[in-house]
């Protein structure tokens, strides 16, 4: 039995988008975003639900959801730290930041802290190479990162 369904707000948003988009399949990405903002992540149940809404196969939904790293396919912490690991950020010290984060949070990349507060992910270029090293904190960009800046941020978020 499928346990996922859009909440009322998302159901209304979906109906409104249906009027504006040329066909149901065009609503794949907006639907996945709605699931993620509602639940924090996209479960297999939710993918089946989206497939039914869009009249496509669950495999089609899965192939899109698993292609983009911004979609979480497992539960994540309150704060999702997505550290860029691509060239500009790597040359600017992202590896050092990764090691620092892993040590401070007691987790490795891809894991969530025991208190459920922090998830650390390594991602490809965030499109902010000019201000590297760069990291996403949920929907915000933290740029020109340093170990000191990270420490201050973690301090603030841990309160
Ligand atoms: S390489 Fe990190 S933002 Fe582009």
């Amino acid at each position: 039995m499928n346990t996922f369904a859009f909440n009322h707000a998302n159901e209304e948003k979906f109906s409104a988008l249906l009027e504006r988009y040329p066909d149901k399949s065009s609503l794949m990405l907006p639907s996945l975003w709605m699931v993620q903002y509602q639940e924090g992540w996209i479960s297999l149940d939710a993918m089946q639900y989206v497939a039914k809404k869009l009249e496509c196969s669950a495999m089609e939904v899965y192939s899109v959801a698993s292609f983009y790293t911004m979609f979480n396919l497992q539960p994540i912490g309150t704060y999702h730290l997505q550290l860029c690991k691509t060239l500009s950020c790597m040359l600017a010290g992202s590896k050092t930041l990764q090691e620092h984060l892993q040590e401070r949070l007691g987790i490795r990349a891809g894991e969530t802290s025991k208190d459920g507060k922090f998830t650390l992910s390594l991602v490809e270029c965030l499109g902010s190479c000019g201000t590297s090293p760069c990291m996403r904190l949920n929907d915000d960009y933290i740029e020109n990162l340093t170990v000191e800046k990270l420490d201050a941020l973690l301090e603030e978020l841990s309160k």
Side-chain angles (χ1 to χ4, degrees), residues 54-71:
L54 303 184
E55 296 173 3
C56 66
S57 71
M59 187 48 81
E60 282 176 76
V61 179
Y62 179 80
S63 66
V64 174
S66 60
F67 178 79
Y68 294 105
T69 57
M70 70 259 202
F71 291 129

Side-chain angles (χ1 to χ4, degrees), residues 84 86 88-89 125-129:
C84 175
T86 310
S88 298
C89 288
C125 181
L126 291 167
S128 187
C129 317

